[in-house]
Amino acid sequence: MKTLPQISEAEFEVMKIVWECAPISTNEITEKLVQTTKWSPKTIQTLIKRLVTKGVLSYEKQSRVFVYTPLIKENEYINQESRSFLKRFYNGDITAMLSAYIDNDKLSESEIDTLRSILSKKKGGS
């Protein structure tokens, strides 16, 4: 599996909008982000340019408007980040991570039940 480029938290906010709405113009991205952040339009344009440079976004000029589409899939990026987090903080041991969350009351009973259900389905389907 190829390693995807690292993106910052701010860049990730831009990507969430692109993944949800692509193809999407610079103006549409900006409109959505100024509602949920305190970023200026110039800051948003800089983030978009960085994502293009990193090879995460592509664009097409349609008359006077730039329209963006993602070059990586959201689930691929999230899977990579999840594996990286697990490796960095729990030496790749998901059991240790879940134990830490359960021991520190970070998971609700509902979340634990959902995990049980997922594991039961996986065990039955393997």
Side-chain angles (χ1 to χ4, degrees):
M1 181 177 177
K2 68 179 181 180
T3 301
L4 304 174
Q6 286 291 320
I7 60 175
S8 69
E9 289 292 324
E11 292 165 343
F12 186 70
E13 291 302 314
V14 174
M15 287 304 298
K16 287 193 301 190
I17 289 169
V18 175
W19 281 318
E20 182 182 333
C21 302
I24 186 168
S25 72
T26 307
N27 289 342
E28 291 169 320
I29 295 169
T30 302
E31 285 172 18
K32 290 180 181 298
L33 285 170
V34 295
Q35 293 174 16
T36 59
T37 68
K38 295 181 180 179
W39 301 337
S40 72
K42 191 79 170 156
T43 298
I44 295 166
Q45 289 175 358
T46 299
L47 292 168
I48 293 169
K49 286 178 190 173
R50 285 184 194 163
L51 290 164
V52 169
T53 301
K54 289 180 179 186
V56 178
L57 286 181
S58 68
Y59 66 90
E60 180 180 300
K61 192 170 184 183
Q62 296 179 357
S63 65
R64 300 180 82 176
V65 177
F66 288 94
V67 177
Y68 296 89
T69 55
L71 293 174
I72 63 171
K73 294 180 178 158
E74 182 177 16
N75 66 335
E76 287 178 310
Y77 187 77
I78 290 172
N79 285 339
Q80 175 180 286
E81 289 300 299
S82 297
R83 283 191 305 278
S84 175
F85 173 84
L86 189 60
K87 185 176 180 183
R88 180 175 178 199
F89 293 103
Y90 297 98
N91 294 324
D93 185 353
I94 194 164
T95 305
M97 182 190 79
L98 288 172
S99 293
Y101 274 78
I102 292 167
D103 291 345
N104 293 306
D105 295 324
K106 298 291 185 192
L107 293 177
S108 68
E109 284 299 321
S110 171
E111 290 168 324
I112 292 169
D113 289 342
T114 300
L115 286 171
R116 279 190 185 113
S117 175
I118 292 168
L119 291 171
S120 292
K121 287 178 189 173
K122 187 68 175 172
K123 187 175 180 182
S126 295

